[in-house]
Each structure stands twice: as structure tokens, then as C-alpha cells.
Amino acid sequence: MTYQNVVVLGGSGNVGREFMSQVMRHDTVFSKKHLNPTNIIGLTDSKGFWFNRHGLNIQKNPENIYKWRDSKETFNTFMRDLDEYHQYDNLCDLLKFIQDEGMAGEIVFVDITAGKDDLRDFHLKVINDSEETIITANKNPLSIYSTDVFGTLTRFRERYGFLCTVMAGANAVSNLLDYYDTSEIVKKIEACFSGTLGYLCAELEKGGRSFSEILNDAKIMGYTEPHPKDDLNGIDVARKLIICARTFGHNVSMTDIELEGFIDESFLNIDDVDDFMESVKGADQDMKNKFDSAKRNGKTLRYIACFELHENGNSVFKVGLREVPPDSPLGSLKGSANKVIVETDIFCGDKQSIIESPGAGPDVTAWGLRRELLSRLTGRKGGDYKLT
Ligand SMILES: NC(=O)C1=CN([C@@H]2O[C@H](COP(=O)(O)OP(=O)(O)OC[C@H]3O[C@@H](n4cnc5c(N)ncnc54)[C@H](O)[C@@H]3O)[C@@H](O)[C@H]2O)C=CC1
Ligand SMILES: N[C@@H](CC=O)C(=O)O
């Protein structure tokens, strides 16, 4: 039997633990469903990694999942005694380690960190200097650096999966790649790309609860970024718009985007997450006023990413809060739902392409990562469509 050997980067985080638990329930050798069962052989945090070339021992006891899934501390306690932990100076040491273990060319790295420069360097090294594969939910390497970095990372599509960077549970990225491949020019995009901000808008529209209470809920449900300011300053949505636009061929960077945060800038400079969550209470009244005012105009508010290609070839990128009719395609979104409306030459007027799906949450994101992982298997079992 050939295994799909996986190293999970950031495996003890919120999405990471859910990913581990889903894999252990459905995709390992126990499931008997796959010709190439998933075998998690490594797991990293920001200081080091657990490694076992035969598979991490935590996978042997799926009945313990419910003891560690909901807490990073308990998870780390579980992991502590099961397999050997190696500290690293640099994440790239991991590649050398895998080569020394004789496993070069056999690994899929799943990046579920929110890392920046160190993860960019790691992704580049994997793509340029190894034969391994990466599947990423981390948007930073593809969005906050130059379009050249994006181009280098995505040049071997079979070795670089990034469907989960935009609307984690949906086919938004693959649809845009199809437009690129078929030379179908994308002329316009309008999208709600944030589960957190979508949930905030839908709940504020109902009235009754304050902005900060709803934000706290979104954080508990795992919709927010590790630091929720990265949702509220609009950067997370801007990163997704950049990934989309680069996917269909635009050379675009953060400075090309007209970006308006969800709340006033004065709240967005606090690095400590708990202090930040306390300080945003100061935005409660302002957010209530904005939604009340929209309602008086017969409208509601949605946080919208927009791209438009003008006749003269110029393109415009905007991200911000906009008043829209409550019964419009974006105004009618509920909960954490995401939606992207794309116009091309063929797909326009009443033939616009519309994708709606949940776009945030550990369960949805972990499922999206597993789907992408399984879609890359060389031998997939078919013909046995039984519920298991
Ligand atoms: N929460 C969601 O709904 C979605 C999240 N994502 C992305 O998934 C990533 C993880 O999100 P969460 O699990 O919510 O965050 P988290 O903060 O709970 O987990 C991140 C984990 O990465 C580890 N880590 C941080 N820096 C690292 C480094 N340099 N090397 C190795 N490990 C490192 C941390 O120790 C932590 O365990 C983020 O990039 C986020 O944008 C993407 C789609 C949806
Ligand atoms: N914080 C993000 C998570 C997914 O990308 C969101 O709320 O959409």
C-alpha cells in the first residue's frame, strides 16, 4: 500500500487540529476507503516539529480526538510524549531533515499557519529546490509579496494547491484558473470574501447585539484570523482579491487596492489580541449608527471586494463597506456565507458565474484542505460508493 505522507505546518492551531481530526476519522488506513490512505508523519509549530516516518502515533487512537480537538494546550500535552520533537532554527531545516530520512519526493506539506516571510521562504524552497507538494490555507505567501513570487509558487499546479485561500469550501480559485486556461477574460468581480465580516454584517443588520459581542462570537467559532484585526482592517479580504486577480493574470499588489477598513483605523493598532478585543468595544456605537442609517435608506451594509477592467485596459480594485439593497445578491447573504459574482465575455448579463459557499470556520477549511489533498492522489478508488 502506498501512503500519502503529510506534514502539517501549524497543525496545533484551530484549523490544524480540526484537520487532524477529520483526517483521522476519514482518510487514514482505518477508513479502508482510499487506495493511498493519508498518513500524517510530521507536524510543526513555530519552534519545531514532531516527526515519525511511520506516522505520528496520535493517529493510532482516533477515540481520543474529542479530548484534544478543542484546545491547543491539551493537544500539545497529548503530542508531548507520543513522538520525538525536534527544534529548528529555520523552518527550511525540515526539508533537509526529510531528505536525510530518505523521504525526498514523498511528502505533501499542508500549510495551516499564518506565517509570513519564513513561510514564503519555505514555500519557495519546496517549489524551487525539491519535488514535494504544498497545499496551503495560508494566504500570505501568495498575496503580500510580489506577483513574481505568486508566479513562481504556482507554476507547477500539480505541486501547489491553493483552493482554500479564497472561499475555503468552494471552487472559486479553480473556476478562475479555468478562465485563465481558456483565455476567458475576467472583466468584473464583486464578492463577499470574509466569513467574519459577513457574519458581522448579517448579525448587525438584525439588531439587538453589539458589534464587539458578535465579533467575539466569530472568534469563538474560529471564523477570524489569528489576530482579528487582520479581518477588520480589510487586509484578509484584500489578500483574497489579490490571489483571485493574480490567478486570472493581473500584476497587482496591496498598494493597488483602494482599501477601507471595516472599523475606524484608530482601533486597529493594538497587537495584543485580548487588549484588541477589549478596545473594539469603542466601535460598538459607530457600527450601530452605520447599520441604522443604511436601514433608514432601505439598504443594508456588506463588506465588498470589487475588481473592474475598464475599456481602456485600466483595472480598479476596491475593498470596503458598501450600502446595498437587502434583497440583492450580496445584500441577502446570511451568516458566514461568501459569494463571488464573476463577469467574463461569455459569462455576463443573466449568465454571470455565481459561487456561494461558507468561506470560514475550521470545519469548512479543514474539509477544503482534505478535498484538495485527496484530489491529488494518483490512485483513487472508485466503484464502491457505500456510506462508511
Ligand atoms: N479560520 C478560518 O476559517 C480560515 C483560516 N485560514 C487560514 O488558516 C491559517 C490558520 O488559521 P487558524 O488555525 O485560525 O490560526 P491559529 O493561530 O489557530 O493556528 C496557526 C498555527 O500555526 C502555528 N505557527 C505560527 N507560525 C508558524 C510558523 N512560522 N511555522 C510553523 N507553525 C507556525 C501556530 O503555532 C499555530 O498553532 C491562517 O493563515 C488563516 O488565514 C484560511 C481559510 C479559512
Ligand atoms: N478570517 C477569514 C477566514 C478565512 O479565510 C474569514 O473570516 O473569512
Side-chain angles (χ1 to χ4, degrees):
M1 184 177 291
T2 317
Y3 292 94
Q4 165 116 303
N5 289 322
V6 170
V7 172
V8 190
L9 312 176
S12 54
N14 287 330
V15 180
R17 295 190 311 278
E18 175 64 22
F19 174 79
M20 295 284 294
S21 89
Q22 288 190 15
V23 167
M24 284 168 59
R25 280 179 286 145
H26 305 296
D27 306 331
T28 65
V29 71
F30 296 121
S31 86
K32 298 190 172 52
K33 189 167 200 169
H34 304 294
L35 287 177
N36 308 113
T38 305
N39 188 22
I40 299 174
I41 61 163
L43 190 144
T44 78
D45 59 21
S46 52
K47 298 192 183 71
F49 57 93
W50 286 272
F51 188 86
N52 182 335
R53 58 174 298 127
H54 304 293
L56 294 180
N57 279 312
I58 195 166
Q59 296 171 108
K60 289 186 182 153
N61 297 103
E63 69 280 3
N64 283 339
I65 287 173
Y66 299 97
K67 297 188 186 155
W68 51 253
R69 192 180 58 174
D70 297 331
S71 146
K72 184 172 183 167
E73 287 68 34
T74 326
F75 178 82
N76 284 338
T77 310
F78 252 90
M79 285 298 293
R80 192 168 298 146
D81 302 321
L82 287 177
D83 288 297
E84 205 176 340
Y85 184 80
H86 309 258
Q87 296 227 328
Y88 57 67
D89 295 327
N90 180 318
L91 185 58
C92 290
D93 296 350
L94 182 56
L95 268 183
K96 169 91 175 50
F97 185 90
I98 279 160
Q99 278 157 8
D100 292 347
E101 287 284 319
M103 299 187 87
E106 292 177 24
I107 312 290
V108 182
F109 293 103
V110 177
D111 180 358
I112 329 181
T113 74
K116 294 185 176 167
D117 294 5
D118 49 348
L119 270 298
R120 171 203 56 193
D121 295 346
F122 183 77
H123 285 210
L124 284 170
K125 193 150 180 65
V126 169
I127 294 303
N128 288 331
D129 301 339
S130 87
E131 290 172 23
E132 323 301 336
T133 296
I134 295 188
I135 288 172
T136 185
N138 177 5
K139 303 139 207 159
N140 290 324
L142 289 176
S143 60
I144 63 172
Y145 305 104
S146 70
T147 302
D148 283 349
V149 171
F150 174 92
T152 303
L153 291 177
T154 58
R155 74 183 190 279
F156 305 118
R157 280 207 210 143
E158 67 287 3
R159 288 179 50 215
Y160 199 87
F162 60 107
L163 297 193
C164 286
T165 57
V166 183
M167 295 175 66
N171 291 322
V173 168
S174 52
N175 209 33
L176 295 174
L177 283 168
D178 288 344
Y179 290 144
Y180 179 78
D181 288 346
T182 54
S183 306
E184 185 60 18
I185 305 288
V186 175
K187 300 202 158 152
K188 190 172 173 190
I189 281 192
E190 274 195 316
C192 284
F193 277 146
S194 169
T196 303
L197 303 185
Y199 179 68
L200 275 162
C201 287
E203 292 298 306
L204 282 166
E205 178 187 295
K206 287 185 198 162
R209 286 200 306 155
S210 68
F211 160 73
S212 55
E213 266 178 85
I214 304 167
L215 178 66
N216 199 44
D217 244 25
K219 184 169 174 296
I220 290 168
M221 289 189 287
Y223 297 161
T224 62
E225 291 304 293
H227 195 316
K229 85 172 173 197
D230 291 329
D231 295 292
L232 296 170
N233 59 15
I235 296 286
D236 186 63
V237 171
R239 290 187 298 196
K240 290 167 177 165
L241 183 60
I242 289 173
I243 292 173
C244 289
R246 288 177 172 175
T247 297
F248 55 79
H250 284 257
N251 182 350
V252 55
S253 294
M254 209 49 96
T255 46
D256 299 315
I257 296 182
E258 287 176 42
L259 177 62
E260 179 209 340
F262 190 82
I263 54 172
D264 194 84
E265 236 183 285
S266 56
F267 295 105
L268 295 170
N269 296 319
I270 299 179
D271 285 333
D272 180 85
V273 174
D274 293 334
D275 291 349
F276 175 79
M277 293 301 286
E278 192 56 34
S279 99
V280 291
K281 291 181 180 164
D284 284 349
Q285 191 58 45
D286 186 40
M287 291 314 294
K288 181 177 177 341
N289 294 344
K290 280 185 176 159
F291 276 81
D292 287 349
S293 154
K295 198 169 192 176
R296 282 196 296 278
N297 299 336
K299 301 276 179 62
T300 187
L301 291 164
R302 288 293 179 270
Y303 197 76
I304 296 177
C306 188
F307 156 82
E308 206 160 349
L309 180 63
H310 290 168
E311 292 286 321
N312 62 8
N314 291 344
S315 32
V316 177
F317 298 88
K318 287 187 189 166
V319 168
L321 206 49
R322 268 185 22 210
E323 277 196 2
V324 288
D327 57 357
S328 61
L330 297 180
S332 56
L333 283 175
K334 302 285 177 247
S336 64
N338 285 194
K339 187 179 234 171
V340 59
I341 306 167
V342 185
E343 275 186 33
T344 71
D345 280 330
I346 294 177
F347 297 94
C348 59
D350 59 5
K351 291 188 295 182
Q352 284 171 331
S353 151
I354 302 179
I355 298 178
E356 181 176 339
S357 137
D363 50 357
V364 170
T365 312
W367 177 86
L369 288 164
R370 284 175 49 231
R371 170 179 75 150
E372 197 162 20
L373 195 57
L374 295 173
S375 75
R376 276 154 203 272
L377 289 176
T378 44
R380 296 191 82 177
K381 196 170 172 184
D384 182 17
Y385 296 101
K386 295 181 187 143
L387 285 178
T388 51

